Amino acid sequence: MTADHGEAADHLRRLAAQLEAHSFQVRLKASAGLFPRLHVINPMVPAMTEDVLAAHEADGEWWFWLSWAGRIGHAEDVATAAERVASVLHVIRR
């Protein structure tokens, strides 16, 4: 694992803790040769899942990203990033 992969995993662990506090199920995945990602599951609707990545920009700033390249928040603002992930996985009941 490279230093970048290690730092990405550290950011994702902090996000995982925040999401677990909101009752989401999370699993950190680190496949060989790929950046680590956080698999997030809405336990009320297990089909609602999303993978979150952490990556840095050219200026060195770390950000959280949804799997479909949607930037969701600065890595230092874990609370806002968790809220945005939750909103993606939220199910509205009618």
Side-chain angles (χ1 to χ4, degrees):
M1 184 180 285
T2 69
D4 279 352
H5 288 161
E7 191 167 352
D10 289 344
H11 290 300
L12 292 171
R13 283 186 195 98
R14 289 186 308 105
L15 180 59
Q18 187 76 27
L19 287 165
E20 286 176 327
H22 291 285
S23 299
F24 285 92
Q25 296 172 350
V26 298
R27 185 174 0 148
L28 183 62
K29 295 181 174 184
S31 302
L34 298 176
F35 248 72
R37 64 190 185 282
L38 186 65
H39 187 68
V40 185
I41 302 166
N42 179 335
M44 301 297 289
V45 185
M48 297 289 294
T49 68
E50 182 59 60
D51 283 345
V52 179
L53 297 97
H56 63 80
E57 297 284 334
D59 63 4
E61 293 289 318
W62 282 84
W63 295 85
F64 292 115
W65 297 80
L66 295 172
S67 61
W68 37 272
R71 188 164 80 174
I72 58 172
H74 195 276
E76 296 302 318
D77 189 0
V78 177
T80 298
E83 288 174 13
R84 291 181 179 157
V85 172
S87 72
V88 168
L89 296 178
H90 181 70
V91 175
I92 299 172
R93 297 179 188 193
R94 297 181 190 256

